[in-house]
Amino acid sequence: PKLTSLSIMESNKLTDFSGLEGSNIESLEILGCNFTGSFVPKMFVADFQIFTKMPKLRTLNLVLAKNKDSRADLIALSKLTTLKKIHVFDRYFTFEQFAWLKSKLPHITGIEPIYELKNWQDKTVWSVIGNKKLTINKQEIADEYKSHFYDLVEKFQTRDNPPPPTMRMTNKE
């Protein structure tokens, strides 16, 4: 039997995934924290190029500690044109970097600028991708961020290199 789905959780010493090269894995989940005792990922993937060497990969879920060269990670992910769904821990890249990635993979689900949530008072709030602290409680402001994200997606369509991680959006609230 062929392994088509793999989930790895909190294997903090595992950083080399070269054994997955050429595999039949269609769905890969690498979670660097268990979301019960730990919410901060401690696990790394040393080289995101490994994902480009998995020809059947269609779904990728990554909750990882950030590598020093997140731009190299972005470039590797942008080559995954056969993916259908991706989730990358929303603090891994900046808002602008996620927009660049969306410009390269417009067909993929999972790279959305705004996530709607319910807060502890059961009120709707919105979280902005690429910003760990920003929570919005007004629909109009959430819509502004969404519009800005898709403006950036359009702008980045002709840009080969991703923006640096130091490029940060400003808080609109």
Side-chain angles (χ1 to χ4, degrees):
K2 297 177 184 178
L3 180 65
T4 59
S5 182
L6 179 62
S7 182
I8 301 168
M9 183 181 289
E10 282 198 290
S11 298
N12 297 344
K13 297 196 190 279
L14 179 62
T15 60
D16 180 3
F17 291 85
S18 60
L20 299 176
E21 185 173 338
S23 70
N24 290 314
I25 294 174
E26 297 172 12
S27 178
L28 178 61
E29 178 176 63
I30 304 174
L31 305 177
C33 58
N34 63 18
F35 299 105
T36 56
S38 171
F39 290 97
V40 179
K42 297 172 185 77
M43 189 173 173
F44 292 88
V45 171
D47 186 0
F48 276 36
Q49 285 295 329
I50 186 58
F51 305 128
T52 66
K53 299 172 183 175
M54 298 172 67
K56 298 191 177 193
L57 189 62
R58 300 297 177 263
T59 303
L60 183 60
N61 183 6
L62 302 173
V63 179
L64 302 167
K66 190 182 284 194
N67 287 328
K68 288 184 180 183
D69 190 1
S70 62
R71 290 176 83 188
D73 298 340
L74 268 170
I75 291 168
L77 292 177
S78 74
K79 295 175 183 175
L80 301 177
T81 56
T82 59
L83 272 184
K84 294 182 179 185
K85 184 175 183 179
I86 189 169
H87 173 264
V88 179
F89 190 47
D90 68 355
R91 298 178 202 168
Y92 200 92
F93 301 121
T94 66
F95 183 81
E96 289 78 8
Q97 288 177 321
F98 275 113
W100 181 86
L101 185 59
K102 183 70 171 181
S103 77
K104 304 306 169 209
L105 303 171
H107 64 285
I108 286 184
T109 61
I111 308 171
E112 311 308 328
I114 302 291
Y115 293 92
E116 189 173 305
L117 311 161
K118 294 287 185 182
N119 70 8
W120 61 276
Q121 298 172 319
D122 203 33
K123 291 185 180 179
T124 301
V125 295
W126 296 266
S127 178
V128 178
I129 195 169
N131 190 318
K132 64 184 172 187
K133 295 182 181 175
L134 186 58
T135 302
I136 300 167
N137 56 16
K138 295 179 183 169
Q139 176 77 53
E140 310 81 49
I141 295 172
D143 290 344
E144 285 180 36
Y145 274 105
K146 188 174 183 178
S147 176
H148 180 57
F149 181 85
Y150 287 109
D151 287 346
L152 287 172
V153 168
E154 187 174 326
K155 172 185 169 183
F156 291 148
Q157 285 176 343
T158 58
R159 185 174 173 171
D160 291 335
N161 291 313
T166 55
M167 185 178 180
R168 288 265 179 209
M169 66 180 175
T170 57
N171 190 338
K172 293 185 182 286
E173 280 195 310

